[in-house]
Every structure is written in C-alpha cells, then in structure tokens.
Amino acid sequence: MKPLVLTHLRYANLDLQDLSEFEGPTVVESDANQDLFKKSTEDILCDMQADRALDFKGAPINLYQYGVIGGIMHISLFQIPPQPHIAGQWTITQILEGGLKEIPFPDVMISTLKLSASSESQKSLFSLGDSSIPASQLITLTISPPAGLFIAQPPLVARWECSDQVWTSQGISHASYNATSGHVSFRLSIPSPVALFQDLYVGVPYAHWELRPCAMSNGEVKGVGESAVVLVCELATGIKVHIGIALQAAKYQLLPGDDQWAELAFPSVCGHWLSLAQLKSALRYMGVNLFSEHHAQQFISITQKDRQLEKQSYNQMAFLASVFAFSRSRWNMHSASEKFILQVCEPTDVLSATSTLPTSTDWKLIAVTARSAQWLNGGELDPKMPTEPTPGQLFHGLLWNAVYTSASPAGTDRLTSFPAGLAHAVRKILHATRPLAFS
C-alpha cells in the first residue's frame, strides 16, 4: 500500500501566547516511492542491526552561524486508508479502528544511514542495511514556508540526527528554492524532523539604524504613554524593523512601519508587548535577526570595535534618547577600532513611532573615544571623513556631557524627568542589537 506523507509542526524556541495564529510550513507536493517499503519492518531492522557499526560522518550545522526559520517540520509516513467507494447515490466508507497506521521508522534507522556516490554514473545511492535505494526513489517534498517568512538567500535544508543530537544535511539531496513562488523542494532519505536554516548574520552590517524619541498614542499602539522611544534598524537585505520602546516593564512592541512587512509576518504579534527574549524569538522565526551573540564577530566581516567603549556609549545614549536622536554614520566603519562616529540631533518635532525624521534635520557628527567625545567639523555628506573637531568647543570626556550641554532649555527639562525604567529598556535593546559595532 502506497504510503501517505503527513507533517506536523513544532515551533522552535517560541514561548509567545500571541503566536497561535502563526502558520507553519505546508506540504505542497510529496512523493514516497513504494519500493522503499517492499521489505517488512522486521527485515529492515535485522539488516540495520548487522550494520550498527556504521559511524555518522555528516557535517553538522553550525548553530552559532545558522538559525531555524519557519519552525521545525516533523514528517511521518502513514498507510493510506481504504478510500471511499461511490455506488450510485451512496458513498461507502470503511472506518478503521485505531485511526491511521503509521509506518515505523525507529531512531536507530536514521543513525545507520550512509550516503555513497558511484564514480561512474555520479548517481547518489543511499545505503540502508543491505539494500541500496537510488536517489530518484527517495521521498520528494515541496513545502511552502509561512506567509511573511523573509528568505534572503536559498535556505539550507537539514534534518535532525537523533543519535548524534545534531542537525545535518546528510540524507537530503536535490534541495532547491524558487524565489518566485517561495517553495522549497528537496529529497529526503528517511522521515525525520526537517528545518530550514538561514545565516543569522545575513543582514549585517546594518544599512541604516536610528534611535529617536517618538509619541505613540493609545490609538496607534495599545497601552503606550506619551514618553517613548523607537529603534529603527534597516538590514543589509532591505528589511526595515521598527521597535517601539515605552515604560512598560522593559517590554517592546513590533511596529508595522512604512512597508507593512511586520503586519504581514506577525499579524498576531504587532501591537502587543513582548519581552526581549520573545521579540528575539519572533523575529528569528520569520528569518530576521537583529540580535548578536558573543560569537557574532566570527561570522561578520567588519572592523572590530572597542567593546568596553561600546557598552559605555549605549548606557549614555539610553539616558539621552528621550530628547536626542542618534543615527548611523557612514564614517563609523572607516574609523579606528577605538573610535565610534555617529550622528546626533535634537528633533524640533516629536513624530509618531512609524514616521521617519526629515532629511533636512540638522544632524551633527560626534566622535567618541575612551578619553573624549568631540563634535566633528564636517558632515555626513562630506567627500572625505571629517577628523578635525569643531573650533571653540569645550572638552568633554563622555558622550553624555557633550550631548547634554547642547540641549535646548525644553530638552534639558525633559531629560531631568526621563523615567529611569524607560532608559533601562532602551539600554537593553541597544546592547542586544549593537548598532554601533555592526554599522
């Protein structure tokens, strides 16, 4: 009896109450060849027991560099039940006791899988016990990833190797990705958990980032007060993410933005308060990663910056974020490792969370080192990187001092009344996304 391929999905590292509407990958097309099942289960297990010495030699997926997108798909094989028979106006259906019958594939079967190739025909063969199965007779799957899933490059398809507790691409062949339809096709040697992987840092360095004060009304975003901050990060892949931050126990909201990508990808998450861990899981699930780990710089080709100075700068930016806007400078990547260059301005009008600052905003460049913070005599559009400080300025040892002394009287009043809890939330998101180091 021809087997039926069914799948069920388990979300990876998601603990969100508002993700019940998320849709996982769906199987568009599947083909499980009957020849794989001519032997009885007992015969196959006996063949495997004779070949238990086979060692696992597949290259495991580096989870420091790659992450699961779209969830984990569990694939099982079932025998197709007797189909309904139509006789005249009657439909005769046989009801099976116990439901569908699953074709068992023990974990030991997966662990004894071996991939070999014929040098003459260059045709892949999968050796399972004493029987060799041509690759053309393997299970072929075509899946449709969830709507809104952002795939920046052809994903890496891997399966779970239970015996070695690793994800590996061994046992998967002929993987292809159709960018037009979004379908992913591959051949699977044996039913096992399968997932799509994408480079965690494919969007780094950032094409642009901006941290600025904003006004979010209750009609725009639920439960947000007047004092709030928004962090906008545009990845190198073109995706722009708006994160609203307000005094709500250091929680964050994913905002729709001007391209409405977030509403498509997260219809049940946009406008709800999330912890930093929940926000990280939700974004990574949909193929977007803003959050770096301690090993991130091993996989990013960018100038290594002073980590201690970076942390100090984030702490000071957090306490200034209620009045001043900070933005990426193209000169930062070209500066020395012990120096950060960024743009700073005090917006005259506090815009909504999803708006962008006008290009005519009076941005100024500031250079921050471990010993001083100096305003630079030049601008972002200068043909050469400004290196000279602005004439006549006072010496400032910290970013906080240099920016605070340039505030207007109204801005100074707002800074003195800035809630410490909001500053803490801003500091956490800056440390997690590291815009100064990755732009």
Side-chain angles (χ1 to χ4, degrees):
M1 184 176 293
K2 185 178 180 179
L4 170 69
V5 179
L6 296 181
T7 68
H8 57 97
L9 182 73
R10 182 181 68 198
Y11 298 114
N13 301 324
L14 287 180
D15 187 20
L16 306 180
Q17 295 180 354
D18 299 315
L19 291 184
S20 56
E21 298 178 14
F22 270 25
E23 295 183 359
T26 56
V27 175
V28 177
E29 181 181 354
S30 64
D31 177 26
N33 196 289
Q34 300 182 62
D35 294 339
L36 181 61
F37 307 99
K38 286 183 177 180
K39 283 191 174 184
S40 66
T41 303
E42 291 77 9
D43 292 337
I44 295 176
L45 289 176
C46 291
D47 292 339
M48 291 191 301
Q49 293 295 331
D51 202 29
R52 283 291 296 273
L54 182 63
D55 294 327
F56 172 69
K57 298 180 181 179
I61 303 300
N62 188 349
L63 298 183
Y64 288 136
Q65 183 179 6
Y66 295 93
V68 176
I69 59 174
I72 299 174
M73 186 168 57
H74 293 250
I75 301 175
S76 302
L77 292 184
F78 298 86
Q79 287 187 350
I80 295 180
Q83 299 300 294
H85 176 69
I86 299 178
Q89 296 182 351
W90 292 88
T91 300
I92 304 173
T93 304
Q94 179 181 352
I95 300 177
L96 299 178
E97 296 184 0
L100 292 174
K101 182 180 179 181
E102 182 176 0
I103 300 177
F105 282 88
D107 293 337
V108 65
M109 193 171 189
I110 302 176
S111 65
T112 59
L113 185 65
K114 181 175 64 177
L115 177 62
S116 61
S118 171
S119 58
E120 297 179 358
S121 64
Q122 297 298 321
K123 187 175 183 181
S124 296
L125 295 177
F126 286 87
S127 178
L128 187 61
D130 294 333
S131 60
S132 295
I133 306 170
S136 60
Q137 298 182 8
L138 300 176
I139 303 171
T140 301
L141 291 174
T142 299
I143 64 173
S144 178
L149 183 69
F150 181 72
I151 302 178
Q153 55 189 209
L156 180 63
V157 184
R159 66 177 184 86
W160 178 248
E161 174 60 44
C162 185
S163 61
D164 292 271
Q165 297 292 291
V166 295
W167 288 97
T168 177
S169 57
Q170 185 192 33
I172 293 178
S173 61
H174 297 78
S176 63
Y177 169 63
N178 189 322
T180 303
S181 63
H183 293 169
V184 179
S185 301
F186 56 93
R187 289 177 178 173
L188 183 64
S189 61
I190 201 168
S192 57
V194 174
L196 305 181
F197 286 81
Q198 184 168 266
D199 191 334
L200 290 173
Y201 305 105
V202 67
V204 179
Y206 299 138
H208 183 73
W209 65 267
E210 189 177 287
L211 178 73
R212 59 176 174 82
C214 66
M216 295 191 287
S217 63
N218 290 334
E220 179 182 7
V221 181
K222 300 176 183 178
V224 179
E226 295 182 355
S227 181
V229 177
V230 63
L231 174 65
V232 182
C233 289
E234 182 179 351
L235 302 180
T237 51
I239 282 290
K240 186 181 292 184
V241 182
H242 293 68
I243 301 175
I245 313 164
L247 190 57
Q248 293 283 341
K251 290 193 175 183
Y252 310 88
Q253 288 192 9
L254 192 62
L255 305 178
D258 51 5
D259 55 3
Q260 305 300 313
W261 166 80
E263 285 188 327
L264 173 63
F266 305 100
S268 60
V269 175
C270 270
H272 292 77
W273 289 111
L274 305 174
S275 67
L276 191 59
Q278 291 174 330
L279 179 64
K280 175 180 176 180
S281 296
L283 285 173
R284 285 191 174 182
Y285 174 86
M286 296 306 293
V288 177
N289 180 44
L290 298 177
F291 304 93
S292 65
E293 308 295 346
H294 67 279
H295 48 263
Q297 291 183 329
Q298 300 178 18
F299 310 105
I300 303 173
S301 298
I302 198 168
T303 303
Q304 302 289 323
K305 293 289 188 176
D306 187 336
R307 189 71 175 101
Q308 187 61 33
L309 177 61
E310 180 189 0
K311 293 180 180 179
Q312 294 175 359
S313 300
Y314 293 149
N315 295 341
Q316 296 167 52
M317 290 167 60
F319 282 100
L320 296 164
S322 64
V323 175
F324 290 91
F326 300 89
S327 181
R328 172 189 180 270
S329 171
R330 67 190 180 107
W331 303 119
N332 184 52
M333 295 183 65
H334 303 285
S335 61
S337 60
E338 66 275 6
K339 178 188 293 186
F340 291 105
I341 299 179
L342 62 155
Q343 298 186 85
V344 185
C345 76
E346 183 180 353
T348 55
D349 298 321
V350 179
L351 304 177
S352 64
T354 55
S355 302
T356 56
L357 289 175
T359 55
S360 60
T361 301
D362 188 18
W363 292 99
K364 295 190 295 183
L365 289 178
I366 189 170
V368 183
T369 65
R371 294 185 176 183
S372 65
Q374 292 183 320
W375 298 103
L376 296 179
N377 187 21
E380 182 71 5
L381 301 180
D382 289 0
K384 294 184 178 180
M385 182 173 67
T387 56
E388 297 298 324
T390 302
Q393 66 173 306
L394 298 176
F395 175 83
H396 300 289
L398 298 173
L399 173 65
W400 161 267
N401 299 117
V403 177
Y404 180 82
T405 54
S406 67
S408 64
T412 303
D413 293 338
R414 294 210 309 272
L415 282 174
T416 55
S417 60
F418 187 42
L422 179 55
H424 175 64
V426 175
R427 183 187 64 83
K428 286 180 61 179
I429 193 71
L430 288 177
H431 280 279
T433 55
R434 301 186 63 187
L436 289 178
F438 298 147
S439 66

